Amino acid sequence: MGDATATLDITREVCPMTYVRTKLRLEALEPGALLEVFLRGAEPLKNVPRSAHEEGHEVVSLEARDDGTHRLLLRKQGR
């Protein structure tokens, strides 16, 4: 997990705040940076990767974790 530039835990957030928090965190990073996002629930699992992709960011990976959360790795694209 050491490859991420920054980490964001949105496991306690609900939509639409899940992507709002993710977007704000991405905006603070340099292009090419990796953001590790921990999320929970069906809506964030579907919406956060989709919204990031629609804004031009790369979904590097999405994996389930033992505690019922998911780890999403996003690469910020340069604009």
Side-chain angles (χ1 to χ4, degrees), residues 10-36:
I10 54 171
T11 55
R12 294 169 187 248
E13 302 286 343
V14 294
C15 289
M17 287 309 296
T18 48
Y19 190 63
V20 171
R21 296 261 329 268
T22 303
K23 180 181 169 108
L24 290 171
R25 193 68 188 95
L26 279 166
E27 286 174 356
L29 299 176
E30 295 293 319
L34 288 171
L35 176 62
E36 175 181 60

Side-chain angles (χ1 to χ4, degrees), residues 6-63:
T7 299
L8 177 65
D9 184 342
I10 54 171
T11 55
R12 294 169 187 248
E13 302 286 343
V14 294
C15 289
M17 287 309 296
T18 48
Y19 190 63
V20 171
R21 296 261 329 268
T22 303
K23 180 181 169 108
L24 290 171
R25 193 68 188 95
L26 279 166
E27 286 174 356
L29 299 176
E30 295 293 319
L34 288 171
L35 176 62
E36 175 181 60
V37 183
F38 294 106
L39 41 88
R40 177 189 307 275
E43 262 192 277
L45 194 57
K46 182 177 74 174
N47 294 337
V48 173
R50 186 191 69 219
S51 296
H53 179 74
E54 285 172 358
E55 292 201 354
H57 305 294
E58 177 188 354
V59 176
V60 177
S61 65
L62 178 61
E63 55 202 38

